[in-house]
Amino acid sequence: MKDIYDLAEDYADKVINSPDFQRLLEVKEEIKRTLSGKIMAFKTAEAKYLEAKEYEKYHPDLEEYKKRFLETKTKLFSESLVKEYKELETKIQEKLNQDINDLKKSVSNKFKLNYF
């Protein structure tokens, strides 16, 4: 009989070897390779905006940084690869959440469902 650690390892292997997870890894590498410029622009704009946001109305460039941050975020997240990545990520997370809920139900009815 398998112990809890073996079962957990089997489950992790099942998730990691699933077609959705494998595609997620492929898309992640493709994003790194093809969208590095947009990622850098987004991260730079985000850092400047967050730094200026600390001073709120006292920072003279806050609105400009906010606008640039939102523009770079929109450009990056409108890319088809990023959309596919987010969809796969959500699909995998929903499956994990469902499995956690199923496990909770099988152990006890006292666990709150959909509470992670």
Side-chain angles (χ1 to χ4, degrees):
M1 184 170 154
K2 291 186 172 188
D3 66 9
I4 190 78
Y5 300 107
D6 292 332
L7 293 171
E9 190 171 330
D10 289 347
Y11 179 75
D13 288 341
K14 179 182 165 189
V15 171
I16 290 169
N17 293 314
S18 71
D20 287 335
F21 192 83
Q22 292 300 309
R23 179 64 186 150
L24 182 85
L25 295 177
E26 291 170 8
V27 171
K28 182 178 180 180
E29 287 304 313
E30 203 171 329
I31 287 171
K32 284 181 185 177
R33 194 175 60 254
T34 60
L35 299 175
S36 60
K38 287 185 179 183
I39 293 169
M40 288 299 296
F42 168 72
K43 294 222 182 243
T44 301
E46 180 183 38
K48 286 182 179 181
Y49 170 64
L50 291 175
E51 183 180 341
K53 189 177 174 188
E54 288 182 28
Y55 302 103
E56 295 189 20
K57 62 183 177 183
Y58 300 110
H59 196 288
D61 298 324
L62 177 63
E63 287 304 313
E64 178 187 333
Y65 289 159
K66 181 179 178 180
K67 181 181 175 188
R68 190 172 306 136
F69 167 64
L70 292 174
E71 287 172 355
T72 57
K73 182 178 179 180
T74 301
K75 284 179 185 176
L76 179 62
F77 283 77
S78 66
E79 290 287 335
S80 61
L81 283 173
V82 176
K83 287 179 183 179
E84 181 181 3
Y85 182 88
K86 297 303 281 178
E87 288 170 6
L88 288 165
E89 188 178 55
T90 300
K91 186 176 180 182
I92 293 167
Q93 187 62 56
E94 287 172 353
K95 175 67 172 133
L96 292 172
N97 291 347
Q98 183 59 50
D99 291 346
I100 289 169
N101 281 332
D102 292 345
L103 181 61
K104 287 178 181 180
K105 287 179 197 174
S106 70
V107 173
S108 172
N109 63 355
K110 301 212 183 277
F111 288 112
K112 293 180 181 178
L113 299 180
N114 300 318
Y115 186 75
F116 308 104

